[in-house]
Amino acid sequence: MTRPILVRVDAQTELDEAVDWYERRRPRLGLEFVSAIEGALDAIADAPDAWPLWQDGYPYRKYALRRFPFVVFFTAEGSAIQIVAFAHARRRPGYWMRRPGQ
């Protein structure tokens, strides 16, 4: 059975901002980004343990998008998968670790 995916509010905010940024660059590019994110979430839901741990000693796993420079960071412990960040791969590595509740 597939576990539900829960997206943290701060992760949803950064996703929305990235979609807006891409859409301003080129019409429909934001939609293409959303499609890539949806594919990532489907892959994560299908096999969350297939994706590598971010770093030893942390419960976070990562899924790197192919076309866009973003990484989906998530935990797969318990009854749900929790998305903790939709992080740009080339900016401020690990910034999301400093968020409350991490």
Side-chain angles (χ1 to χ4, degrees):
M1 184 171 112
T2 303
R3 291 184 264 183
I5 293 181
L6 307 173
V7 179
R8 289 180 53 115
V9 172
D10 40 11
Q12 184 64 52
T13 299
E14 67 192 353
L15 176 60
D16 294 343
E17 289 171 357
V19 170
D20 291 345
W21 188 89
Y22 280 117
E23 198 61 31
R24 286 192 307 271
R25 294 304 168 266
R26 190 182 85 211
R28 302 195 54 81
L29 188 58
L31 294 176
E32 293 173 30
F33 178 63
V34 168
S35 179
I37 291 291
E38 289 172 347
L41 296 179
D42 288 344
I44 290 167
D46 287 344
D49 295 332
W51 309 105
L53 288 171
W54 174 55
Q55 290 182 0
D56 288 339
Y58 291 94
Y60 306 108
R61 294 186 175 275
K62 62 181 181 176
Y63 179 101
L65 274 67
R66 290 189 182 124
R67 179 175 175 199
F68 297 92
F70 275 79
V71 178
V72 180
F73 288 98
F74 66 96
T75 59
E77 299 174 339
S79 61
I81 296 166
Q82 185 175 83
I83 306 299
V84 296
F86 295 101
H88 194 287
R90 298 182 190 128
R91 296 187 193 137
R92 303 178 295 143
Y95 71 90
W96 49 271
M97 287 288 297
R98 295 181 282 285
R99 291 179 178 164
Q102 295 300 357

